[in-house]
């Protein structure tokens, strides 16, 4: 393949991935997460792009493990990005950290920056990645039997549904303290001193987010095939242009950002936070099943076989690389990664599955991440613009779960498993504090308190409840 053509196709792949890569670090570093300062948030966005570029190359390359039948990577254009799946677990854990004193608060109750909390998330995620690495050596047929679409479908749907709340709050102005319209510094969104600050839910914010959402729809209806594959990024661009023209942007963060950034320019104190171990194990099970589905889809659009020994070895190598990438991402200061399917549309449209295009995409992600002024501009995007985009992306996650469910035969047994698992999942998602007052222990035994916190966090995380119940019932109830 000519270099120029590879660069052109790689740029299209990078654009199709961009929105998905930058969203998790922006949310987790913001007021809905650990309230990091602007420089730390910019660093996380930059590093997310760099790490996704580097670790996508691992998936694309496909290494053979010496003197074994196992591989690392798929050998396809299987790119990776920061996972949405970890967001509901992380936001729930951060709320618990602030409530228990693990993360600091000001005298008036304002949540202060908590790099220790973020460090606990990535360190615990690194430890839990060992589960996916171990599962990668299991035969794909066994994995599909234990984690069939009957389990993964409702779990993925619940992840998307739980995330839409965050996207909608951002659409209205912000998902942090200003969303309750209190008095004082957060009476306006994002803060009183921000440019063009308005109360949460103002018509201006709703309209700004709608401009993004409407642009995505217009691109899908009237755009060329390439525009359709990049519709989310184009919607974000239109929203940013409108926000810039109407005075919502602040250039101070962009001006203060360094010219370049790289991994470990900022670091976070690492620790294992016990209460999120079980939820993160559920996250990695979901990531493994997502990887299997995405690799299958990539094989399909690349016109390669989707059964047989070669396909099974691609699945094994892809899942192993996914687990290794999850382990490495934590050491590189980024939350767990997942195999992305966003670029499959580009493969289908261009009819090019050459790995050189994948390496070119990795190159562009590295460039975007290293030049940190780009990341600073992304961090400065108003919450309403980001909300218009993320609401669409999170809804797409929910629809992916519905699509997986649609492949399941609706027998009485399967309907019962879906009903039982979704009942608890929907309930915990709609009433997230339903389990908060079950345990009344207030002693000094930190291990005991941590154990109770872990149970509470699992029971208040809708998709984790759904996953565990569906796995249990699928193994216990006999097939008809």
């Amino acid at each position: 393949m000519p270099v120029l053509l590879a660069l052109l196709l790689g740029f299209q792949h990078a654009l199709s991935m961009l929105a998905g890569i930058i969203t998790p670090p922006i949310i987790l570093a913001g007021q809905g997460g650990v309230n990091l300062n602007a420089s730390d948030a910019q660093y996380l966005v930059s590093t997310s792009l760099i790490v996704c570029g580097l670790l996508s190359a691992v998936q694309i390359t496909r290494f053979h493990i010496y003197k074994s039948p196992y591989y690392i990577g798929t050998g396809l254009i299987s790119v990776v990005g920061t996972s949405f799946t970890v967001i509901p677990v992380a936001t729930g854990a951060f709320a618990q950290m602030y409530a228990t004193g693990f993360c600091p608060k000001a005298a008036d109750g304002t949540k202060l920056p908590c790099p220790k909390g973020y460090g606990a998330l990535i360190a615990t995620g690194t430890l839990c990645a060992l589960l996916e690495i171990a599962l990668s050596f299991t035969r794909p047929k066994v994995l599909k039997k234990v984690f069939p679409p009957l389990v993964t479908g409702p779990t993925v749907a619940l992840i998307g549904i739980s995330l839409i709340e965050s996207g909608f709050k951002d659409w209205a102005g912000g998902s942090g303290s200003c969303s309750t319209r209190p008095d004082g510094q957060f009476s306006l969104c994002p803060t009183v001193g921000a440019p063009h600050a308005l109360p949460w839910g103002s018509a201006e914010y709703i309209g700004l987010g709608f401009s993004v959402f409407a642009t995505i729809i217009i691109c899908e209806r009237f755009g060329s095939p390439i525009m359709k594959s990049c519709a989310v990024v184009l919607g974000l661009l239109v929203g940013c242009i409108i926000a810039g023209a109407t005075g919502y942007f602040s250039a101070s963060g962009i001006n203060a950002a360094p010219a370049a950034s790289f991994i470990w320019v900022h670091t976070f104190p690492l620790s294992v936070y016990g209460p999120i171990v079980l939820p993160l194990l559920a996250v990695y099970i979901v990531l493994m099943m997502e990887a299997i589905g995405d690799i299958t889809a990539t094989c399909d659009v690349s016109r390669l076989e989707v059964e047989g020994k070669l396909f099974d070895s691609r699945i094994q190598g892809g899942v192993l690389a996914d687990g290794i990438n999850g382990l490495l991402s934590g050491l590189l200061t980024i939350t767990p990664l997942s195999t992305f399917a966003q670029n499959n549309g580009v493969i289908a449209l261009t009819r090019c599955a050459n790995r050189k295009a994948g390496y070119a995409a990795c190159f562009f992600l590295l460039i975007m991440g290293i030049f940190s002024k780009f990341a600073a501009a992304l961090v400065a995007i108003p919450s309403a613009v980001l909300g218009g985009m993320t609401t669409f992306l999170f809804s797409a996650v929910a629809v992916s779960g519905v699509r997986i469910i649609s492949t399941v035969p609706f027998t009485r047994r399967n309907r019962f498993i879906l009903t039982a698992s979704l009942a608890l999942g929907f309930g915990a998602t709609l009433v997230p504090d339903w389990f908060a007052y079950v345990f009344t222990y207030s002693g000094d035994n930190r291990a005991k308190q941590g154990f109770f916190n872990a149970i509470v966090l699992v029971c208040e995380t809708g998709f984790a409840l759904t996953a565990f119940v569906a796995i249990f019932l699928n193994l216990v109830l006999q097939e008809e």
Side-chain angles (χ1 to χ4, degrees):
M1 173 182 283
V3 174
L4 186 60
L5 180 59
L7 290 173
L8 178 62
L9 294 174
F11 187 62
Q12 293 174 17
H13 282 284
L15 284 181
S16 69
M17 300 163 58
L18 181 62
I21 291 174
I22 66 172
T23 298
I26 290 176
I27 291 175
L28 296 180
Q31 292 182 12
V34 285
N35 299 276
L36 298 179
N37 57 46
S39 63
D40 282 339
Q42 292 164 9
Y43 163 78
L44 288 181
V45 173
S46 285
T47 306
S48 183
L49 290 165
I50 294 170
V51 170
C52 290
L54 292 173
L55 298 185
S56 289
V58 175
Q59 272 285 27
I60 294 169
T61 302
R62 185 169 164 83
F63 302 94
H64 180 246
I65 300 177
Y66 184 63
K67 289 187 177 180
S68 79
Y70 300 111
Y71 290 84
I72 300 174
T74 63
L76 309 169
I77 309 183
S78 298
V79 294
V80 301
T82 41
S83 175
F84 291 163
T85 309
V86 77
I87 295 176
V89 171
T91 52
F94 294 151
Q96 190 179 84
M97 289 176 185
Y98 279 109
T100 59
F102 187 89
C103 288
K105 285 185 177 181
D108 61 355
T110 302
K111 295 177 180 178
L112 300 176
C114 186
K116 183 172 72 169
Y118 183 80
L121 172 67
I122 58 175
T124 311
T126 297
L127 179 66
C128 293
L130 296 174
L131 172 65
E132 188 175 6
I133 293 173
L135 289 173
S136 70
F137 296 103
T138 306
R139 293 175 61 191
K141 289 183 180 179
V142 176
L143 293 178
K144 291 178 181 179
K145 183 178 180 179
V146 179
F147 308 109
L150 186 61
V151 172
T152 57
T155 304
V156 173
L158 257 295
I159 290 169
I161 291 168
S162 64
L163 289 171
I164 289 173
E165 179 187 5
S166 170
F168 236 50
K169 282 185 176 181
D170 276 333
W171 189 332
S175 58
S177 301
C178 71
S179 62
T180 59
R181 301 185 71 148
D183 296 328
Q185 181 184 3
F186 296 104
S187 59
L188 302 178
C189 288
T191 61
V192 171
H196 208 137
L198 296 166
W200 188 86
S202 296
E204 293 90 335
Y205 282 146
I206 302 298
L208 195 56
F210 184 76
S211 69
V212 180
F213 200 82
T215 301
I216 295 172
I217 295 173
I218 291 169
C219 287
E220 182 64 30
R221 174 62 183 84
F222 300 105
S224 65
I226 295 300
M227 284 183 68
K228 289 179 181 180
S229 68
C230 301
V232 175
V233 174
L234 291 175
L236 185 66
L237 180 61
V238 169
C240 289
I241 291 172
I242 295 172
T246 50
Y248 287 89
F249 266 102
S250 171
S252 59
I254 301 173
N255 294 334
S261 179
F262 205 69
I263 303 165
W264 298 312
V265 170
H266 292 242
T267 56
F268 303 90
L270 300 180
S271 63
V272 175
Y273 187 68
I276 56 173
V277 170
L278 283 177
L280 283 176
L281 290 177
V283 164
Y284 275 104
I285 291 173
V286 173
L287 293 183
M288 177 191 66
M289 298 313 299
E290 281 185 355
I292 292 173
D294 291 342
I295 293 165
T296 303
T298 304
C299 285
D300 186 39
V301 297
S302 302
R303 301 183 181 182
L304 299 172
E305 58 187 34
V306 290
E307 56 184 17
K309 289 186 177 180
L310 178 59
F311 172 72
D312 286 347
S313 76
R314 291 190 192 277
I315 294 292
Q316 176 275 314
V319 172
L320 179 55
D322 204 54
I324 292 173
N325 287 347
L327 188 150
L328 292 176
S329 66
L331 300 177
L332 300 175
T333 69
I334 294 299
T335 52
L337 306 181
S338 64
T339 304
F340 265 20
Q342 283 91 329
N343 69 316
N344 284 339
V346 179
I347 297 174
L349 290 170
T350 60
R351 297 183 180 180
C352 174
N354 193 301
R355 288 188 293 176
K356 289 182 180 178
Y359 291 127
C362 297
F363 169 75
F364 282 114
L365 292 176
L366 281 170
I367 295 299
M368 292 176 190
I370 289 172
F371 291 100
S372 56
K373 294 287 186 184
F374 179 74
L378 295 174
V379 172
I381 294 173
S383 293
V385 175
L386 194 67
M389 176 193 73
T390 56
T391 299
F392 183 87
L393 289 176
F394 296 156
S395 181
V397 175
V399 171
S400 296
V402 173
R403 184 194 62 79
I404 296 170
I405 294 173
S406 70
T407 65
V408 177
F410 269 54
T411 62
R412 186 183 186 283
R413 171 187 179 272
N414 291 348
R415 290 200 309 272
F416 180 86
I417 293 174
L418 286 171
T419 301
S421 59
L422 287 173
L424 294 175
F426 282 138
T429 301
L430 295 171
V431 189
D433 58 349
W434 75 288
F435 211 78
Y437 308 105
V438 171
F439 300 114
T440 58
Y441 178 76
S442 58
D444 297 329
N445 190 328
R446 295 183 62 186
K448 187 176 182 179
Q449 185 65 60
F451 176 70
F452 289 154
N453 288 344
I455 296 174
V456 170
L457 192 56
V458 169
C459 291
E460 292 183 351
T461 304
F463 83 85
L465 265 184
T466 293
F468 289 134
V469 172
I471 290 171
F472 174 74
L473 292 179
N474 181 60
L475 295 175
V476 169
L477 297 182
Q478 293 183 346
E479 292 281 358
E480 295 179 354

